[in-house]
Amino acid sequence: MNLVIGGNGGLGHSITQELLWRGKLVTATYHRSNEALSRLRGPLLTMASLDIQDERALAALLTGVKTLYFCLNVPYQDWYTIMPKALERVTAKLHSGQTLVFPGNVYGYGRFKYLPADENHPKAALTRKGKLRNQLEELLKKRAAENGFRYVIPRYPDYYGPNVTNRVFRPIFNGALRAKTIAWPVRLDVPHDLVYIRDAAKAAVLLAYSGEEGEWHVSGSGAIEGRQFLNLIQDEADSPRKCRTLPGWAVGLAGIFDKEAKEFHELLYEFQYPLVLSENKFMKRFPEYSPTAYKDAVKETLGWFREQQE
């Protein structure tokens, strides 16, 4: 049995879909809305409302679960109050014979010291979110050692795709469909790894069923500059190539009035400097894994955003 906490979010939804495609039993949780999950149907799927603070409900859902995917998705500004306690509750209830898949990001590294960055890169974050991420992973490792459960961390760069509606990618895809000028943070000429959300989900499931443990980089279809990515989207949307940078000062100004923008501001260094991961370890272990080409992934993503506008 598989449990996906946060199954209505971008990655949680794609992991749920990937498991269903593989014929696996899945329980996927949601908090306030199950809109995205409700589009997935079939006898293998159970949807469950969950408040992560509800100890009894969490314990009941974990009964009989072999693999748990922790995809809890909360706004940046709520990370500090919600994520540590949520991970503590979950890991306290896991035991030998269970696996926790804890999807990761690159925030904990800070600005890369070498490229491409592998799994041994120093975790030298200076940002609040990067430091918190490192603390969460240390808590996870400590609890795994104490309770005997297996953990795996697939570590991703930024991901995009269907049901990914964050403040960077939603305006890009919606803007391209409306033939508007679209923006990329800070610099258009810096190489940046991006992973398609359905590839990220596939990688997470491969790792879960492999018996492997620890940290694994999953980098996508190769680094691409912001301008190239935006132009690819505009070409596929049959809209003019009109793009610009979203300057750091503008994000900072927006942060005066918008908590999420304020939190995003500290991550802009990722768009100012190259962000390139080495996934040699992952590809050596899973040679059958083949990431979706940018053109195909962009086409599918545009199709999803187009449906939301109709």
Side-chain angles (χ1 to χ4, degrees):
M1 171 63 119
N2 299 275
L3 174 64
V4 182
I5 292 180
N8 204 60
L11 184 57
H13 181 272
S14 286
I15 286 175
T16 301
Q17 191 171 47
E18 177 70 23
L19 289 166
L20 293 174
W21 283 341
R22 291 170 176 260
K24 307 295 185 181
L25 283 170
V26 189
T27 296
T29 76
Y30 61 93
H31 187 199
R32 294 186 175 88
S33 170
N34 69 345
E35 181 181 354
L37 276 174
S38 64
R39 301 189 190 103
L40 301 177
R41 303 182 184 279
L44 298 176
L45 174 63
T46 300
M47 292 183 288
S49 175
L50 175 66
D51 181 343
I52 197 66
Q53 300 179 76
D54 188 334
E55 297 273 2
R56 288 187 178 181
L58 179 61
L61 284 170
L62 283 170
T63 301
V65 167
K66 184 175 182 181
T67 305
L68 166 65
Y69 298 83
F70 188 95
C71 300
L72 185 65
N73 187 24
V74 300
Y76 278 148
Q77 62 269 23
D78 295 332
W79 275 25
Y80 317 102
T81 56
I82 294 178
M83 297 299 283
K85 292 179 181 178
L87 187 60
E88 282 187 11
R89 291 188 188 98
V90 168
T91 54
K93 294 175 173 58
L94 296 179
H95 51 75
S96 178
Q98 292 181 301
T99 296
L100 175 59
V101 180
F102 190 60
N105 52 46
V106 298
Y107 301 169
Y109 291 144
R111 181 181 171 184
F112 286 166
K113 300 184 181 302
Y114 59 85
L115 297 172
D118 59 20
E119 290 83 356
N120 296 316
H121 189 284
K123 293 179 179 174
L126 299 177
T127 63
R128 290 178 70 208
K129 283 181 286 300
K131 291 177 180 178
L132 175 62
R133 181 68 204 191
N134 289 340
Q135 291 169 7
L136 293 175
E137 292 185 8
E138 287 305 309
L139 169 63
L140 167 61
K141 294 172 185 178
K142 180 175 180 290
R143 281 286 173 79
E146 292 172 348
N147 296 354
F149 63 85
R150 180 171 70 95
Y151 77 91
V152 63
I153 301 173
R155 194 176 305 287
Y156 308 109
D158 290 311
Y159 45 69
Y160 68 98
N163 213 40
V164 179
T165 56
N166 59 39
R167 68 182 309 113
V168 174
F169 292 103
R170 177 165 52 186
I172 286 174
F173 284 95
N174 280 334
L177 288 171
R178 293 165 180 159
K180 293 183 176 181
T181 300
I182 53 179
W184 186 253
V186 188
R187 291 182 60 178
L188 287 164
D189 60 346
V190 172
H192 197 98
D193 272 336
L194 297 168
V195 62
Y196 184 45
I197 193 72
R198 288 173 176 165
D199 293 338
K202 181 179 180 181
V205 174
L206 282 172
L207 284 165
Y209 281 90
S210 70
E212 297 288 355
E213 194 169 16
E215 303 170 39
W216 300 75
H217 283 180
V218 183
S219 66
S221 299
I224 188 170
E225 292 183 0
R227 187 185 305 277
Q228 293 175 304
F229 184 62
L230 297 188
N231 288 165
L232 185 62
I233 295 169
Q234 289 167 323
D235 290 349
E236 188 62 41
D238 197 25
S239 64
R241 287 187 168 188
K242 298 187 297 182
C243 56
R244 62 177 178 83
T245 58
L246 179 63
W249 64 262
V251 178
L253 183 61
I256 298 174
F257 311 98
D258 184 320
K259 291 181 180 180
E260 189 175 355
K262 181 179 180 180
E263 294 293 338
F264 178 58
H265 186 262
E266 72 170 12
L267 299 174
L268 291 180
Y269 70 90
E270 292 188 353
F271 298 90
Q272 185 176 0
Y273 305 103
L275 194 163
V276 183
L277 296 175
S278 169
E279 64 174 11
N280 289 342
K281 175 183 173 183
F282 183 83
M283 292 305 299
K284 184 176 180 180
R285 175 62 179 83
F286 302 101
E288 72 275 18
Y289 172 84
S290 179
T292 308
Y294 276 113
K295 184 176 177 60
D296 295 332
V298 162
K299 183 177 181 180
E300 291 177 11
T301 305
L302 280 169
W304 184 87
F305 276 94
R306 188 177 287 112
E307 288 178 2
Q308 309 313 302
Q309 292 182 7
E310 293 175 352

